[in-house]
Amino acid sequence: MMRSPSSAALLAGALLLAGCSAKDTAVKETPTSLTVSVVRPQQLSWPRLLSANGNLQPWQEVVISAETGPYRVATLDADVGAQVRKGQVLATLARETLLAERARLQAAVAEAQANLAKADSDVSRARQIGDSGALSAQQIQGYRVTQQTSQASLAAARAQVRGTDVQLGQTNVRAADDGVVSSRTALLGKVVNSGDELFRLVRQGIIEWQAELDARQIAAVRAGQSARVTLPDGQTVAGVVRLVSPTLTSTTSRGIVYVRLPAGSLARAGMYGSGVIAVGAGPVLTVPDAAVVLRDGKSYVYRVGKDNRVSETTVTAGQRRDGRVEVSGLAADAQVVAAGGAFLSDGVAVRVVRSTAK
């Protein structure tokens, strides 16, 4: 059956119009790339934290020295790292010379006692026959002076014995306080003099973090504020500010904040740690951790507009806690993609399935 030319033309026109309509519809339809939920930033009151670095040092060091000498180190009863108690014997010095000296002085005491007994007897006899005229007044006075001299000699001899006893006690080198032995210079058999250092203790085993802060930061720090230091192995230790240095160094204008760490912690003197000091609370704008995307060294969030298209927004991330992160550079009423931002790019359309004010 043959079609007329006019019918063929009409059919071709209809097909052309249908194709154009389909193309226009395809252009208008933009498929969404991801289904997301959104949140609004939440303003919270968080502690204001100051970051700092510094050395870990003993709260106080106790120097244990020889109190008498020169005597030989006879025994060593403690080594580096030992936990010691106040009064515990750490070492002993040779006692033979002192024991011999004490024996000699005890003999001197016995001699002085004998001399005093004779002097007492002479004075007593002189008192009895004094009125008879058998002894002159000068002789009687001489007996009394001898008695007084003998009393003084006996007291001096006894004092020397007590002094030797003190020296004998000092041959036991004792800990001046509870603590941990941090160094030992005493050597077995070495002859030491009075004042020679033998041991050092970390008093009560307490270590402090000496955090360095500049003049602006240190003005906000007060004794009693809480702090947290991160040790070289990544573990953290909580502490309390004990003291804020009253002066700053003239070269760097920085001061030291002394943070006391608990006894028995993993902190060791000589370590270097970084940490934070909490200096009061303040309002911060926060979003969930998952809402922040790290890319090329920067932090981003994705805001959802009225047309359901996302806008990549650069923010500055601050402290993190309880699954949230502090951000700045973001409006408080923004609609932010709660999670999955790593799969988005600027300008893409999304489908919002849930909105929350948290």
Side-chain angles (χ1 to χ4, degrees):
M1 177 178 177
M2 297 295 294
R3 293 181 181 176
S4 65
S6 59
S7 298
L10 289 173
L11 181 59
L15 293 173
L16 180 62
L17 289 173
C20 291
S21 177
K23 185 182 295 185
D24 291 342
T25 303
V27 171
K28 291 178 181 179
E29 291 180 357
T30 303
T32 58
S33 62
L34 190 67
T35 300
V36 300
S37 61
V38 295
V39 295
R40 292 185 185 276
Q42 186 177 9
Q43 192 170 62
L44 301 172
S45 179
W46 278 5
R48 189 159 62 93
L49 302 179
L50 297 179
S51 298
N53 299 299
N55 294 311
L56 276 70
Q57 297 295 339
W59 162 52
Q60 288 182 1
E61 272 197 315
V62 181
V63 178
I64 310 297
S65 302
E67 297 182 79
T68 187
Y71 299 111
R72 172 178 52 83
V73 177
T75 65
L76 289 175
D77 303 300
D79 206 345
V80 175
Q83 295 271 357
V84 299
R85 307 292 294 177
K86 182 177 181 179
Q88 180 177 332
V89 176
L90 307 181
T92 60
L93 305 181
R95 303 159 56 94
E96 291 81 0
T97 302
L98 286 173
L99 289 172
E101 178 67 10
R102 189 177 188 279
R104 185 186 69 80
L105 292 174
Q106 284 180 322
V109 169
E111 182 180 359
Q113 287 175 328
N115 292 336
L116 177 60
K118 179 178 182 303
D120 289 343
S121 177
D122 291 342
V123 170
S124 178
R125 187 172 60 256
R127 187 180 298 113
Q128 293 173 359
I129 64 175
D131 296 336
S132 65
L135 294 174
S136 65
Q138 184 177 4
Q139 288 177 310
I140 295 173
Q141 182 63 24
Y143 289 147
R144 291 173 178 169
V145 170
T146 301
Q147 182 188 41
Q148 293 174 350
T149 302
S150 298
Q151 290 173 341
S153 298
L154 177 60
R158 285 174 173 169
Q160 288 180 316
V161 172
R162 287 194 297 270
T164 303
D165 289 338
V166 170
Q167 284 187 294
L168 282 169
Q170 291 172 343
T171 59
N172 292 322
V173 180
R174 299 179 182 274
D177 200 352
D178 297 350
V180 179
V181 179
S182 58
S183 72
R184 175 181 62 82
T185 54
L187 298 174
L188 193 65
K190 180 181 178 180
V191 176
V192 296
N193 295 303
S194 178
D196 287 353
E197 180 180 320
L198 303 180
F199 298 90
R200 282 187 182 236
L201 305 182
V202 177
R203 188 178 180 190
Q204 298 179 13
I206 297 175
I207 300 295
E208 286 190 331
W209 177 42
Q210 298 181 0
E212 295 186 13
L213 296 175
D214 61 30
R216 178 183 57 83
Q217 293 173 317
I218 204 170
V221 183
R222 301 288 183 272
Q225 292 173 338
S226 61
R228 184 170 293 274
V229 58
T230 302
L231 303 179
D233 61 358
Q235 299 193 54
T236 58
V237 179
V240 177
V241 175
R242 179 183 65 86
L243 176 68
V244 180
S245 174
T247 60
L248 306 179
T249 60
S250 58
T251 54
T252 63
S253 295
R254 298 178 71 83
I256 301 296
V257 174
Y258 299 88
V259 177
R260 183 167 178 167
L261 304 180
S265 71
L266 297 177
R268 296 290 182 268
M271 287 182 174
Y272 190 82
S274 60
V276 292
I277 301 173
V279 293
V284 295
L285 196 66
T286 69
V287 296
D289 279 332
V292 179
V293 178
L294 298 177
R295 185 178 295 153
D296 300 328
K298 296 182 179 179
S299 298
Y300 300 93
V301 297
Y302 285 92
R303 294 185 295 109
V304 179
K306 294 180 179 179
D307 58 354
N308 282 356
R309 292 181 181 273
V310 297
S311 174
E312 188 179 71
T313 304
T314 304
V315 295
T316 301
Q319 57 177 311
R320 299 173 183 265
R321 59 185 304 167
D322 303 328
R324 303 188 68 85
V325 56
E326 175 190 0
V327 294
S328 57
L330 183 67
D333 59 351
Q335 294 276 358
V336 178
V337 175
F343 301 101
L344 299 175
S345 59
D346 191 39
V348 301
V350 294
R351 184 164 66 91
V352 177
V353 296
R354 181 172 58 88
S355 180
T356 176
K358 292 184 180 180

